[in-house]
Amino acid sequence: MATIFTKIIQGEIPCYKIAENSTHIAFLDINPIAAGHTLVVPKEEIDYLFDLSDSLLADSMFFAKQVALAIDKTLKPIRTGLIVEGLEVPHAHIHLVPIYDERQNVSLRNKVEISKEKMAELAETISAEVKL
Ligand code: AMP
């Protein structure tokens, strides 16, 4: 069965899209831990990040970098952190988490409430600055 991320890639489920090319997509995490929390997902449906081919893993990191730079430019966090866990969705992905405060609890279990309107605004703002 297709993963929820494959359904997003195929357009069956909506997302707050940040960027896309032929091999990757980035969209806002629907249950964010910070404003601008973004997922970078290779389109090929592979569960474990370290099962990606060397070149696809390198491309994933490049794609993540371009999105992180756009987050940095638009939302101006101290920096953007990166988390890989993959315990919930069996489709490799990288979490990009803007860190606004040194005391911020950067944990995937520390969800924050963000309205749909704000999520749409964040996606529009960040996506306008992604340079692939
Ligand atoms: P993990 O697999 O533990 O790295 O976490 C999966 C992440 O995917 C969680 O942070 C979820 O909030 C996120 N997520 C699950 N479904 C969606 C969705 N439909 N759109 C955006 N993010 C999602």
Side-chain angles (χ1 to χ4, degrees), residues 77-98:
I78 301 170
R79 60 178 52 191
T80 292
L82 185 156
I83 300 174
V84 174
E85 200 171 84
L87 297 175
E88 186 186 318
V89 178
H91 187 147
H93 53 281
I94 294 168
H95 295 257
L96 294 176
V97 182

Side-chain angles (χ1 to χ4, degrees), residues 40 42 46-53 56-57 60-61 82-86 91-94:
V40 171
I46 295 171
D47 178 1
Y48 185 41
L49 189 80
F50 298 125
D51 281 336
L52 268 55
S53 68
L56 188 56
L57 182 58
S60 299
M61 287 305 296
L82 185 156
I83 300 174
V84 174
E85 200 171 84
H91 187 147
H93 53 281
I94 294 168

Side-chain angles (χ1 to χ4, degrees), residues 26-95:
F27 48 84
L28 293 181
D29 192 303
I30 202 72
N31 287 305
I33 65 168
H37 174 183
T38 299
L39 302 177
V40 171
V41 184
K43 291 184 174 179
E44 193 175 342
E45 198 180 282
I46 295 171
D47 178 1
Y48 185 41
L49 189 80
F50 298 125
D51 281 336
L52 268 55
S53 68
D54 292 352
S55 69
L56 188 56
L57 182 58
D59 289 350
S60 299
M61 287 305 296
F62 173 76
F63 197 97
K65 175 182 175 180
Q66 301 312 111
V67 174
L69 291 176
I71 292 172
D72 289 345
K73 183 168 182 187
T74 55
L75 306 184
K76 305 203 181 326
I78 301 170
R79 60 178 52 191
T80 292
L82 185 156
I83 300 174
V84 174
E85 200 171 84
L87 297 175
E88 186 186 318
V89 178
H91 187 147
H93 53 281
I94 294 168
H95 295 257

